[in-house]
Amino acid sequence: MDLINSALNWVVPPVSMVMLAFAWPALSFISVCEWVYSSLFSEDMEDKVVIITGASSAIGEQIAYEYAKRKVNLVLVARRETRLRGIGENARYLGAKHVMIMAADVVKEDDCRRFVNQTINFYGRVDHLVNTASLGHTFYFEEAADTSVFPVLMDINFWGNVYPTYVALPYLRQYNGRIVVNASVESWLPLPRMSIYSAAKAALINFYETLRFEIREDVGITLATHGWMGTEMHRGKLMVEEGAEMQWKEEREVHAADRKVEAFARLIVSGACRGHAYVKYPSWYDVFLLYRVFAPNILNWTFRLLLSNNGARRTSLIGTGRPLPEGSPPQKLLTSPFNFSQQQQQLQMQRME
């Protein structure tokens, strides 16, 4: 067997590259035709039922607004029920036929069963399940003194997607529904201070890629991956939700520019309704994947140069379990990048017009 593997190591790579070179034009043509077809025939979402987890802020909130414009029936799920009430009102102003809000923890299977069953009991169906719950960190792995945060990160980023999918999948099959997943480019692009987060996102993408083959054409899956979404990342921010544990989130997501979050949400919903398997924002990040596969050393050297910062190692100790140095800024409650009061005024003016 060792002799066979040694021979295949020499034969398979060059033969595969030659086959790919000949097949590439035809594959590209077929992909373009599929893209044009799906772009022309978008799914009519009016009166359909969409469950969105992690809908209380950021991308989840904006996705709710994009679906609302398509006149769907929304089920908004998060742990901050008070926050969901305001988002639900905004969604109604934007055109949602009906909005149901439910406080639930997506890492608990019983909670997932509860909000899915309540959706079925009320609406009788589920057409789209949108998983947006996500949690990041900004500390180096070796600096984490409190390892209890590790399973929390894995639970939210991985199991927080798997449990809702597992519960909703039988109902999605009945109506050839779709699962939409908020992933990240860090699943394959290595960046410092995101080791656990990146591992969880990699597991998430591999889970759904495998699930595609298991469910075949019965249920569609749209994987959305985003790159750098916001401003420069300096420190982690402490977030305390009502009735929830302390959580640490990436500043790139916390302080992301409104227009970038809105643009990504718009792409996700548009891609999902068109049946796209992947939504990428921005798409030029894919070039790094080629380097990752064919020239990993070049990619590693490039990132070392870009992230070296003259040899200084800047980090955040928030979330590591270690005491903060004297003079550190006070910890603040996380607020959504979306200006709620301003947006509500705009929505009311639009409604009056």
Side-chain angles (χ1 to χ4, degrees), residues 222-244:
T222 297
L223 287 175
T225 56
H226 61 81
W228 197 257
M229 292 285 290
T231 58
E232 183 181 0
M233 180 173 58
H234 291 295
R235 288 186 178 273
K237 294 293 181 182
L238 180 65
M239 176 175 67
V240 182
E241 292 186 353
E242 294 180 7

Side-chain angles (χ1 to χ4, degrees), residues 260-324:
K260 291 184 179 180
V261 177
E262 292 173 5
F264 184 46
R266 194 177 303 114
L267 282 176
I268 291 175
V269 176
S270 177
C273 293
R274 292 173 177 174
H276 292 171
Y278 303 97
V279 173
K280 302 172 183 180
Y281 181 84
S283 59
W284 61 265
Y285 272 75
D286 285 354
V287 71
F288 294 116
L289 184 57
L290 296 176
Y291 283 95
R292 178 71 184 272
V293 175
F294 297 105
N297 288 335
I298 295 178
L299 183 63
N300 292 338
W301 295 334
T302 302
F303 276 103
R304 286 175 182 175
L305 290 173
L306 292 175
L307 302 172
S308 62
N309 196 25
N310 297 324
R313 188 177 190 183
R314 302 173 62 186
T315 187
S316 170
L317 295 179
I318 297 177
T320 64
R322 297 188 178 187
L324 299 178

Side-chain angles (χ1 to χ4, degrees), residues 93 342-353:
Y93 287 137
Q342 181 180 359
Q343 178 69 5
Q344 192 173 36
Q345 293 174 3
Q346 293 175 354
L347 291 172
Q348 289 173 348
M349 292 177 63
Q350 291 174 3
R351 193 182 185 190
M352 293 174 62
E353 293 174 355

